[in-house]
Amino acid sequence: KNQVEQSPQSLIILEGKNCTLQCNYTVSPFSNLRWYKQDTGRGPVSLTIMTFSENTKSNGRYTATLDADTKQSSLHITASQLSDSASYICVVSRYNDMRFGAGTRLTVKP
Amino acid sequence: DVKVTQSSRYLVKRTGEKVFLECVQDMDHENMFWYRQDPGLGLRLIYFSYDVKMKEKGDIPEGYSVSREKKERFSLILESASTNQTSMYLCASSLQGRWQETQYFGPGTRLLVL
């Protein structure tokens, strides 16, 4: 069983709408949690990073939240754009390794 | 901006061939990584290197080897390609803290083994 589980696997929304992607992890203890965006045919790019003590982090229309007690994180995308169509990957770092979720494939339709 | 480049975007090879995938980064990063990415499985670490000529096995090193002769270049070698090595291969680099620093990824190489 993967130590980082993401849901949903895929999501289709209309342009302009908001959406929330989920990440549950069992990795412990952890150093930080990142969300990456991966456009089709490209490598992942870091969106946000949160340490254990941070609850929320924003990057433009992207807002990540972290609940270290329940080991859950979410990525909220506001006013979606066509360019938000991509895979979003949750990554949890420990002292001695890094664990990747399988990603959520988001499609934004006009 | 950090730039990580990979030698090929697409490769088609035959079973049993020796395959070289090359990765170059231009930001003087200490650490370099090779991952494979398969649908539904996420990224899985094959090998990583924290210094020239140093390497450590990741989660799935079987069937692969690596070489880091220069700081900026990290090569992944498939000694005898097999069909189950058909995948997307991603190279990444990071500054110092191996697992705490942001990793910068290349565009990936999609390998098809026939």
Side-chain angles (χ1 to χ4, degrees), chain A residues 30-66:
Chain A
F30 85 85
S31 300
N32 57 55
L33 186 147
R34 283 183 173 82
W35 284 91
Y36 280 85
K37 179 187 180 187
Q38 184 176 20
D39 292 317
T40 301
R42 307 188 77 88
V45 175
S46 181
L47 285 175
T48 63
I49 173 174
M50 289 180 291
T51 61
F52 181 87
S53 59
E54 293 178 295
N55 300 118
T56 186
K57 184 70 69 77
S58 291
N59 178 359
R61 294 179 298 102
Y62 301 101
T63 300
T65 64
L66 173 64

Side-chain angles (χ1 to χ4, degrees), chain B residues 54-90:
Chain B
M54 305 303 288
K55 61 186 179 185
E56 285 197 25
K57 293 179 180 179
D59 297 321
I60 51 165
E62 296 78 18
Y64 304 94
S65 62
V66 290
S67 172
R68 194 168 181 198
E69 297 296 319
K70 294 185 178 181
K71 190 174 186 180
E72 68 270 19
R73 190 179 297 269
F74 192 34
S75 301
L76 179 70
I77 303 149
L78 285 66
E79 298 290 344
S80 176
S82 63
T83 55
N84 63 12
Q85 292 179 310
T86 290
S87 186
M88 168 73 96
Y89 290 88
L90 288 163

Side-chain angles (χ1 to χ4, degrees), chain A residues 34 38 41 93-94 99, chain B residues 9 37 59 99-102:
Chain A
R34 283 183 173 82
Q38 184 176 20
S93 293
R94 294 190 290 195
R99 294 292 158 187
Chain B
R9 295 299 302 272
Q37 185 177 33
D59 297 321
W99 307 110
Q100 285 69 48
E101 296 285 338
T102 296

